[in-house]
């Protein structure tokens, strides 16, 4: 995917001539309807570098919101896609500084240096080292993170005596949806083997099978599931867990500038009961980390059914969105249609867990014509299908 940069391209882009060419390229729209003309202009002044210029500017524009200072970075489309978003990278780096003060950290799959940049700018860490097999990405990392010592090395052959290692194996291309542990480059299990006995922090896909990892492969560390602005981003494996912790959810929200965490060391004795005033759906990181009951207990909530992640309570946790229950009915599409029409509903948010229903298809079939916005939470309690007609709300403070 994307333009295939060479080492010469990177050298050019880093030169004075390349920098002014990039400034000119950035003054162009580079949109589908202007692209041919824009490339012609670039070819007149900067041939043979026009493709590298267009790709760099396009990637920088796409990187806004994901990487810090994208206007000064060198990157490829694939590397940008694989890069850790800066709020997640910053959080990890800050935790490393807290757990391993003054440590030299070696990112053994540093790519263009998104994680590396966060490590380098975090106070409290020692030297920062980056390595990768890809020469072009390394040259870009050198430009992007000049503070780091960067060199070419195979992650599977330890090449430094750093205090802590971080790794982020790439998912092999091929687009398989289910993630397998040997489907990464370098293979995740090989990285675990090679760094056994040393502090290792390894990013992996959120779909990783933790049980298999523990039971079949003997992983004894902590699995941290991280979400950013409501989307689950990664499962990060920490070889040296905090005492008593095997699972942790980290929820990062940039909009409200809040982060919270919950671990399996917390009390999980949440009750199961009838719906209270609110229903809420815990963040995906909490659900994926298997910490729904722990989260419920910590916030005075309870479960509607022990197998289902929806929680209920008389107050929402601060900053959380939920649904205020107006009515509880036995699940029936016909009855839902009739009741929403009676309630003058014109727009409905449909949430489904534990019942085989497609919210979009159902919404179309409801053919709503009213003026009110409502929400419907469809789920099961035991074997019964139930639906809650609700109004959406948020608790801000
Ligand atoms: C997902 S990317 C890392 C992204 C990086 N954490 C960031 O945020 O920018 C994975 C990187 O691993 C590198 N890689 C693959 N196999 C490797 C190996 N055996 N040794 C070192 N690096 C390897 C790839 O070249 C790629 O740049």
């Amino acid at each position: 995917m994307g333009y295939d940069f060479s080492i010469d391209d990177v050298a050019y882009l880093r030169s004075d001539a390349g920098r002014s060419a990039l400034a000119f390229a950035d003054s162009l729209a580079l949109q589908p309807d202007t692209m041919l003309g824009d490339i012609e202009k670039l070819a007149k002044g900067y041939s043979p570098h026009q493709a590298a210029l267009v790709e760099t500017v396009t990637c920088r524009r796409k990187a806004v919101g994901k990487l810090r200072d994208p206007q000064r970075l060198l990157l490829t489309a694939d590397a940008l896609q694989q890069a850790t978003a800066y709020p997640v990278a910053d959080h990890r780096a800050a935790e490393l500084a807290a757990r391993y003060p003054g440590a030299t950290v070696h990112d053994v799959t540093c790519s263009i240096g998104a994680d590396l940049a966060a490590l380098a700018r975090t106070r409290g860490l020692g030297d920062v080292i980056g390595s990768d097999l890809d020469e072009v990405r390394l040259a870009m990392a050198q430009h992007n993170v000049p503070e780091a010592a960067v060199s070419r090395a195979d992650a599977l052959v330890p090449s430094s005596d750093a205090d802590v290692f971080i790794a982020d194996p790439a998912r092999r291309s091929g687009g398989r949806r289910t993630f397998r542990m040997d489907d990464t480059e370098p293979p995740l299990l090989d990285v675990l083997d090679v760094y056994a006995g040393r502090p290792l922090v390894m990013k992996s896909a959120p779909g990783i099978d933790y049980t298999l990892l523990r039971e079949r492969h003997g992983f004894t560390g902590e699995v941290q599931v991280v979400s950013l602005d409501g989307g689950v981003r990664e499962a990060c494996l920490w070889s040296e867990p905090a005492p008593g912790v095997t699972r942790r959810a980290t929820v990062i929200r940039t909009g409200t500038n809040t982060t919270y965490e919950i671990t399996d060391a917390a009390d999980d004795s949440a009750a199961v009961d009838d719906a209270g005033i609110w229903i809420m759906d815990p963040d995906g990181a909490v659900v994926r980390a298997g910490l729904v009951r722990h989260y419920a207990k910590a916030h005075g909530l309870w479960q509607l059914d022990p197998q289902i992640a929806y929680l209920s309570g008389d107050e929402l946790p601060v900053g959380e969105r939920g649904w205020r229950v107006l009515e509880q009915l036995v699940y029936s599409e016909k009855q839902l249609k009739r009741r929403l029409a009676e309630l003058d509903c014109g727009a409905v948010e449909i949430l489904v867990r534990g019942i085989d229903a497609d919210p979009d298809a159902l919404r179309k079939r409801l053919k709503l014509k009213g003026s009110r916005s409502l929400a419907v939470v469809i789920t099961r309690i035991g074997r019964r299908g139930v639906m809650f007609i609700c109004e959406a709300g948020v608790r801000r403070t």
Side-chain angles (χ1 to χ4, degrees):
M1 188 170 94
Y3 173 71
D4 194 9
F5 287 87
S6 68
I7 281 285
D8 291 344
D9 287 328
V10 180
Y12 170 72
L13 294 169
R14 294 184 73 183
S15 68
D16 289 345
R19 268 202 301 278
S20 59
L22 279 168
F24 176 69
D26 195 28
S27 71
L28 303 172
L30 303 180
Q31 294 301 309
D33 56 332
T34 65
M35 193 58 93
L36 278 181
D38 290 343
I39 291 177
E40 237 170 67
K41 283 181 205 157
L42 287 167
K44 261 189 207 144
Y46 307 104
S47 183
H49 302 293
Q50 60 273 25
L53 291 166
V54 169
E55 187 77 343
T56 301
V57 171
T58 307
C59 287
R60 285 177 171 181
R61 290 178 185 172
K62 283 193 192 143
V64 172
K66 181 169 190 183
L67 302 181
R68 273 187 203 283
D69 301 331
Q71 289 314 313
R72 47 163 291 278
L73 299 182
L74 295 181
L75 61 182
T76 73
D78 279 344
L80 169 60
Q81 210 230 326
Q82 293 173 341
T84 306
Y86 76 85
V88 176
D90 286 355
H91 187 272
R92 180 167 26 250
E95 184 172 351
L96 282 164
R99 283 202 195 192
Y100 303 101
T104 296
V105 185
H106 184 167
D107 180 348
V108 296
T109 56
C110 73
S111 180
I112 54 155
D115 274 303
L116 206 60
L119 296 169
R121 69 189 291 282
T122 296
R123 287 218 197 118
L125 287 172
D127 291 341
V128 172
I129 305 170
S131 55
D132 197 290
L133 280 182
D134 186 321
E135 305 250 26
V136 168
R137 289 185 179 199
L138 279 171
M140 291 177 167
Q142 211 151 45
H143 169 85
N144 296 338
V145 196
E147 311 90 313
V150 167
S151 63
R152 186 168 186 276
D154 186 342
L156 297 178
V157 182
S159 59
S160 79
D161 56 2
D163 303 306
V164 186
F165 294 85
I166 82 164
D168 175 10
R171 265 202 221 207
R172 287 223 189 104
S173 47
R176 208 201 311 241
R177 280 188 71 84
T178 47
F179 169 79
R180 290 193 4 208
M181 277 179 251
D182 53 1
D183 260 355
T184 62
E185 204 47 68
L188 192 139
L189 296 174
D190 292 356
V191 179
L192 284 178
D193 279 351
V194 165
Y195 293 90
R198 306 177 211 221
L200 172 71
V201 179
M202 179 154 55
K203 177 176 157 184
S204 79
I208 191 168
D209 185 338
Y210 322 134
T211 316
L212 194 73
L213 189 66
R214 283 190 203 291
E215 288 174 6
R216 187 99 55 84
H217 302 288
F219 178 70
T220 54
E222 173 189 334
V223 179
Q224 175 199 26
V225 183
V226 185
S227 73
L228 176 63
D229 295 329
V232 177
R233 289 302 182 100
E234 63 181 53
C236 189
L237 311 180
W238 293 73
S239 69
E240 296 188 338
V245 175
T246 64
R247 284 173 284 135
R248 171 163 52 129
T250 301
V251 175
I252 303 172
R253 303 227 171 112
T254 54
T256 47
N257 200 16
T258 49
T259 296
Y260 67 80
E261 297 205 315
I262 184 129
T263 73
D264 62 346
D267 183 356
D268 73 341
S269 61
V272 178
D273 208 342
D274 294 340
I277 295 173
W278 294 94
I279 291 178
M280 61 110 37
D281 197 10
D283 189 277
V286 174
V287 179
R288 289 271 186 111
L291 297 169
V292 171
R293 285 196 313 279
H294 307 71
Y295 176 86
K297 183 70 182 170
H299 293 281
L301 305 171
W302 56 87
Q303 289 188 286
L304 297 170
D305 176 284
Q307 307 301 326
I308 304 279
Y310 287 135
L311 298 176
S312 187
D314 292 335
E315 229 177 345
L316 288 174
V318 175
E320 293 300 322
R321 187 162 180 264
W323 298 276
R324 183 188 283 276
V325 178
L326 303 177
E327 294 177 15
Q328 175 177 345
L329 303 162
V330 171
Y331 176 52
S332 138
E333 187 173 325
K334 212 165 133 193
Q335 199 182 350
L336 180 63
K337 191 170 176 176
R338 196 184 64 228
R339 196 62 195 119
L340 290 179
E342 285 167 4
L343 290 167
D344 187 33
C345 178
V348 70
E349 179 181 11
I350 300 178
L351 294 104
V352 180
R353 273 192 192 277
I355 291 262
D356 188 17
D358 172 350
D360 291 332
L362 176 58
R363 189 178 303 103
K364 278 189 198 130
R365 290 198 299 273
L366 292 172
K367 298 197 174 77
L368 300 171
K369 298 200 180 77
S371 60
R372 193 169 168 196
S373 286
L374 291 171
V376 179
V377 178
I378 301 172
T379 187
R380 66 175 173 74
I381 296 180
R383 292 186 168 186
R384 274 180 307 133
V386 292
M387 54 191 189
F388 297 91
I389 299 180
C390 306
E391 274 173 339
V394 184
R395 178 167 167 206
R396 296 198 195 280
T397 52

